[in-house]
Amino acid sequence: MLLWDELHPYNAFHVVRVFAPLELARLGDAVNRTLAAHKLGKVTLNPDVGTFHYAGGNANCEIKIVKVGADPRADLAAEATRQLNTPFPRDQSFLPFRFFVAAGKESFFLGLVYFHAVADGEAVVNLLKHLVDSYQGPGAAAAAAPELYPPPRDGLLFRDPGLFARKILAIAVQLRTLRRTRRVPCRNLKDMGNAVLFFSLTPEELRALLQAGKAWNVTLNDLFLALLLQGFSSQLPAPPPDSRRTKLALGCIVNLRKELGLAGRQVFGLFLGSFVVTCEPQAQLPLRELAQAVRQQTARIKANRLSVGTPLELRFARLLLRVFSLERRKKFYQKNYPLWGGLTNMNLDAIWQPQPGARPVDYFRAVSTGPATPLVLSLTTIGGGVNIGLSYRTACYSAPEVEQVKSCFLESIRQL
């Protein structure tokens, strides 16, 4: 991720709606008090050996005030776009968090932007939950500080010869498959800028998806991948008759905390894996058949625990990128790892459970596309519905093209 950040800011964005009047001074106190209790201050990175250290102490955070109008989601998406395109000064000791607030009539939005290399989504959800609890109940007992320096777990792959062999074979197969994958047209390889939009699925639409998944024997995540593949397929021109690149490829980020024995533990860090699925795009292919084709791939990936081997892929990419010039790095993924998009899926209800009688929180996420994935859906299941942040690389997709993918995604769900 540090090498990705050299190409474009690799940040992530979370925003939660707090149903309480905004008192800016009290909020600032809650933010600084919580960061101090969690020992999350300025961080110093040592990229050569892959270590980092938090200074702790009082962070003295400033909270940016963002104005929202009649369409708060559009204004928040505009702020997400600014934040994802604004780097952190990682060449020195720096605070890897930025906070902002947008006031409403009976509530306010609290946003947290963070340098993605220091934490995954679950760690940040827990941090925001503690911030909100601290603000709404200043007298409440402080939450226990999370672990900041857990023992490295990327060596799991090397302690399991069978898993290591399966991962090496899977990488070879994937590289061969990606040679048959269509490349996303890019108008300017040097332009890594991102844009963001937010939209939602209603509880009725989520129920329809869950019922379809049960009937078709596929997971909700499989359905989301199939819907995104269908959205791209609907607007693709046919490849040239002699082209060997005919497939579409998508990536998916997965939470590895359970696999690594960290489920239920308060650990502030980054524990993510990934996998890739492909399909032959067919505009009229029924969603059921596409979802079942995706399911065949994801079931094999899960059975072989291939996502645990993601650090091996990243090490390989890191070795290659280090010897490339900056210009070659910008072209590397588009040429050799041609993903059209990807998704990251989180069930917030399982992590953030509101107090009895409290109104459910409203929550949106977005993440930088990075150099590898030019469009990312950040899906958050909350209160019976799904909130979606769609970030995309503007040199690869125009706003009308993204709207078409979004419209196809929603229309396919409504047809259920």
Side-chain angles (χ1 to χ4, degrees):
M1 282 189 176
L2 294 181
L3 289 175
W4 288 359
D5 191 69
E6 292 177 0
L7 302 176
H8 181 269
Y10 201 65
N11 303 339
F13 174 103
H14 288 216
V15 60
V16 58
R17 189 177 184 186
V18 181
F19 288 93
L22 173 61
E23 297 179 28
L24 195 58
R26 182 155 66 97
L27 179 62
D29 178 67
V31 166
N32 288 312
R33 187 157 30 89
T34 302
L35 289 179
H38 286 59
K39 300 179 181 179
L40 292 171
K42 290 186 176 181
V43 67
T44 301
L45 306 176
N46 190 340
D48 294 334
V49 294
T51 60
F52 62 93
H53 177 74
Y54 288 102
N58 193 338
N60 291 318
C61 285
E62 294 183 0
I63 301 178
K64 178 182 178 181
I65 299 175
V66 176
K67 293 183 179 180
V68 294
D71 188 355
R73 287 189 181 182
D75 295 323
L76 291 171
E79 181 63 22
T81 297
R82 285 190 290 270
Q83 293 289 352
L84 293 189
N85 289 311
T86 302
F88 284 91
R90 68 180 184 89
D91 56 338
Q92 54 190 329
S93 180
F94 68 99
L95 187 68
F97 313 107
R98 294 195 291 257
F99 293 90
F100 68 90
V101 65
K105 290 183 178 180
E106 299 178 354
S107 63
F108 63 90
F109 292 96
L110 173 61
L112 169 54
V113 185
Y114 60 101
F115 181 54
H116 203 350
V118 303
D120 54 28
E122 183 171 332
V124 170
V125 168
N126 282 318
L127 175 59
L128 271 175
K129 182 180 185 300
H130 295 152
L131 286 172
V132 173
D133 288 346
S134 177
Y135 177 79
Q136 293 183 321
E147 298 177 59
L148 297 182
Y149 311 105
R153 284 171 166 77
D154 57 356
L156 176 64
L157 188 69
F158 303 99
R159 296 195 297 270
D160 186 334
L163 177 58
F164 181 80
R166 293 195 301 272
K167 186 60 182 180
I168 291 292
L169 178 61
I171 291 174
V173 171
Q174 179 174 287
L175 290 174
R176 186 175 63 203
T177 301
L178 290 174
R179 290 179 65 85
R180 297 180 54 207
T181 300
R182 298 177 68 169
R183 291 172 175 157
V184 181
C186 185
R187 291 179 289 275
N188 183 357
L189 289 171
K190 297 180 180 180
D191 182 3
M192 309 290 284
N194 284 200
V196 178
L197 60 90
F198 292 135
F199 61 103
S200 295
L201 303 182
T202 65
E204 292 77 17
E205 290 167 338
L206 177 58
R207 281 196 295 271
L209 280 171
L210 292 171
Q211 290 169 0
K214 185 175 181 180
W216 301 344
N217 193 30
V218 300
T219 68
L220 183 61
N221 200 66
D222 295 332
L223 278 170
F224 285 137
L225 286 166
L227 286 162
L228 190 52
L229 284 168
Q230 193 176 65
F232 286 128
S233 300
S234 67
Q235 59 178 322
L236 269 180
D242 58 344
S243 175
R244 61 183 175 85
R245 291 186 177 274
T246 59
K247 290 179 175 289
L248 278 182
L250 294 184
C252 183
I253 297 298
V254 293
N255 187 336
L256 292 181
R257 288 173 179 254
K258 184 176 180 181
E259 282 276 6
L260 299 176
L262 298 174
R265 287 172 56 179
Q266 291 289 319
V267 182
F268 196 88
L270 184 72
F271 305 97
L272 299 176
S274 65
F275 62 82
V276 172
V277 296
T278 62
C279 81
E280 290 285 353
Q282 301 178 46
Q284 303 304 318
L285 186 66
L287 181 61
R288 176 173 185 164
E289 292 183 31
L290 187 52
Q292 290 174 337
V294 169
R295 178 59 176 167
Q296 289 180 354
Q297 298 174 65
T298 58
R300 182 176 66 253
I301 291 165
K302 291 177 183 177
N304 290 303
R305 302 175 63 214
L306 297 179
S307 295
V308 179
T310 299
L312 185 63
E313 293 180 74
L314 294 178
R315 287 185 184 187
F316 179 65
R318 186 165 64 244
L319 289 173
L320 286 177
L321 292 176
R322 276 183 170 174
V323 301
F324 288 171
S325 67
L326 188 63
E327 295 305 313
R328 288 192 68 189
R329 291 184 197 178
K330 292 180 179 180
K331 302 174 183 178
F332 175 79
Y333 283 97
Q334 195 266 348
K335 286 189 172 183
N336 301 288
Y337 202 79
L339 302 182
W340 282 69
L343 61 84
T344 165
N345 195 0
M346 173 187 290
N347 183 357
L348 190 78
D349 293 333
I351 306 173
W352 188 328
Q353 298 177 351
Q355 298 296 327
R359 298 172 68 181
V361 295
D362 198 12
Y363 203 103
F364 280 91
R365 301 181 296 133
V367 64
S368 168
T369 62
T373 313
L375 182 149
V376 181
L377 289 184
S378 299
L379 302 119
T380 306
T381 303
I382 172 173
V386 181
N387 286 345
I388 303 172
L390 191 161
S391 50
Y392 63 97
R393 189 174 163 190
T394 53
C396 296
Y397 297 110
S398 66
E401 288 170 337
V402 170
E403 281 294 336
Q404 187 174 345
V405 171
K406 170 191 161 185
S407 297
C408 181
F409 186 92
L410 293 174
E411 182 60 29
S412 295
I413 294 172
R414 288 162 187 162
Q415 288 178 1
L416 294 175

